[in-house]
């Protein structure tokens, strides 16, 4: 039991598949109580976690761990974005075009910090940088910031704010992102839906998304339209508040042990579009 309490929840679930005795042992409440307290330790007081477990989950810690959303920190959230770019015509291709593929990466930390970057490199190539704070600090394309809940009591809506980028003329730009956390299976917390992405100059008013933006995420065709680049707005870099509509595909969680073999490592020739569930 003490060994299981020191394992990650993912490892405990895998061990439960070995035999009947380990399956019964993996359901012990002490294991999941420790997992729950660790998962929400920084975000809230321990008494608050215990009260939620008692009021919402009838003091069943295992049910709480698999039924309550949490930002996962043992890997990265990744989105794969593609668009078609015109190419140069030649004798073989009268109307040449290129399928451009790039990725958005997010890594979250229990203390409320996160780091993110946009890169054409696959998951297998950037995982080392995201694992190390030292390497991430040396990466000039990496953004750092903090995240918080949009509304108290709703653990699915997140607001991310990056550290401002300063310029020589004493102006600065701040990147704001709103994401919705959800699960495709119990305990997953493995999807982040992009709601809005804006870049704000200096002390301009931050345009928070309205309720219609959050409701729009439940449209079953939204992921397909975003992956195909439908309804993409023209980007105007001269405005003080710039909303971006490209690269907003749903992010998928990839644990560290899966970065080498994940399907997102396939290139455009093997997988043209990637639509998440």
């Amino acid at each position: 039991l003490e060994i299981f309490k020191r394992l990650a929840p993912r490892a405990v679930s895998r061990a439960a598949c070995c035999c009947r005795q380990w399956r019964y042992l993996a359901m012990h409440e002490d294991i999941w109580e420790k997992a729950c307290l660790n998962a929400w330790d920084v975000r809230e007081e321990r008494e608050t976690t215990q009260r939620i477990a008692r009021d919402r989950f009838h003091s069943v810690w295992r049910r709480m761990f698999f039924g309550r959303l949490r930002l996962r920190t043992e890997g990265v959230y990744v989105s794969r974005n593609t668009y078609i770019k015109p190419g140069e015509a030649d004798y073989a291709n009268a109307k040449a075009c290129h399928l451009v593929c790039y990725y958005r990466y997010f890594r979250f930390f229990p203390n409320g910090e996160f780091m993110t970057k946009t890169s054409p490199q696959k998951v297998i190539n950037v995982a080392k940088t995201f694992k190390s704070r030292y390497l991430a600090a040396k990466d000039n394309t990496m953004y750092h910031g903090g995240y918080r809940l949009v509304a108290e009591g709703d653990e699915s809506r997140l607001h991310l704010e990056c550290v401002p980028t300063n310029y020589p003329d004493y102006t600065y730009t701040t990147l704001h992102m709103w994401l919705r956390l959800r699960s495709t299976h119990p305990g997953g917390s493995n999807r982040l839906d992009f709601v809005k992405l804006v870049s704000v100059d200096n002390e301009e008013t931050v345009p928070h998304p309205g309720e219609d933006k959050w409701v729009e995420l439940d449209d079953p065709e939204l992921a397909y339209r975003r992956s195909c680049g439908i309804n993409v707005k023209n980007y105007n870099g001269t405005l003080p508040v710039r909303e971006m509509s490209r690269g907003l595909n749903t992010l998928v969680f990839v644990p560290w042990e899966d970065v080498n073999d994940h399907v997102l490592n396939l290139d455009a020739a093997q997988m043209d579009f990637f639509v998440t569930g």
Side-chain angles (χ1 to χ4, degrees), residues 29-266:
E29 280 296 287
D30 289 351
I31 299 174
W32 299 105
E33 179 182 3
K34 185 175 185 298
C36 289
L37 295 176
N38 291 339
W40 292 282
D41 183 45
V42 177
R43 199 179 73 184
E44 62 191 22
E45 297 292 334
R46 178 162 295 197
E47 291 76 13
T48 303
T49 306
Q50 294 172 341
R51 176 179 53 81
I52 293 175
R54 181 184 66 251
D55 297 343
R56 290 174 51 185
F57 300 95
H58 306 287
S59 298
V60 181
W61 292 97
R62 185 171 181 271
R63 183 185 301 173
M64 175 178 175
F65 186 85
F66 287 101
R68 188 182 178 192
L69 291 172
R70 73 192 189 285
L71 272 175
R72 299 177 62 176
T73 59
E74 72 279 15
V76 289
Y77 288 89
V78 188
S79 71
R80 186 178 187 269
N81 304 274
T82 54
Y83 66 92
I84 296 176
K85 179 181 178 181
E88 294 184 2
D90 54 21
Y91 291 104
N93 300 290
K95 296 182 179 179
C97 63
H98 303 285
L99 183 64
V100 182
C101 178
Y102 64 98
Y103 305 83
R104 287 193 191 276
Y105 297 96
F106 287 84
R107 187 193 173 183
F108 297 92
F109 297 93
N111 62 353
E113 298 179 5
F114 76 94
M115 52 188 182
T116 179
K117 71 177 296 183
T118 302
S119 171
Q121 295 183 336
K122 300 180 178 65
V123 186
I124 190 174
N125 298 322
V126 302
K128 183 178 180 181
T129 303
F130 276 92
K131 279 186 177 181
S132 170
R133 283 182 177 265
Y134 173 74
L135 294 178
K138 296 174 62 177
D139 190 343
N140 295 329
T141 64
M142 187 76 72
Y143 287 89
H144 302 262
Y147 64 90
R148 59 182 178 85
L149 298 178
V150 173
E152 189 68 28
D154 189 347
E155 299 175 332
S156 64
R157 300 184 179 188
L158 305 171
H159 177 203
L160 283 63
E161 182 177 352
C162 294
V163 175
T165 302
N166 298 306
Y167 302 107
D169 58 352
Y170 302 103
T171 61
Y172 60 91
T173 300
T174 308
L175 201 62
H176 292 263
M177 292 161 281
W178 290 266
L179 302 167
R180 184 185 69 171
L181 179 64
R182 61 182 173 90
S183 300
T184 58
H185 59 270
S189 297
N190 56 345
R191 295 290 188 273
L192 279 173
D193 297 317
F194 245 111
V195 181
K196 196 172 185 179
L197 171 60
V198 296
S199 180
V200 181
D201 288 342
N202 304 319
E203 297 182 0
E204 295 289 335
T205 303
V206 179
H208 293 261
E211 185 64 26
D212 58 325
K213 288 289 186 180
W214 296 98
V215 174
E216 185 187 24
L217 295 175
D218 296 322
D219 182 357
E221 297 182 359
L222 177 63
Y224 176 77
R225 292 198 303 269
R226 284 182 170 179
S227 64
C228 296
I230 301 175
N231 299 332
V232 173
K233 302 176 183 178
N234 292 329
Y235 178 76
N236 187 351
T238 62
L239 298 176
V241 178
R242 301 169 294 281
E243 180 176 354
M244 286 156 268
S245 58
R246 193 185 291 276
L248 303 182
N249 284 353
T250 296
L251 296 116
V252 178
F253 183 75
V254 181
W256 296 128
E257 56 264 34
D258 294 343
V259 295
N260 294 330
D261 304 318
H262 201 272
V263 67
L264 287 173
N265 288 314
L266 297 176

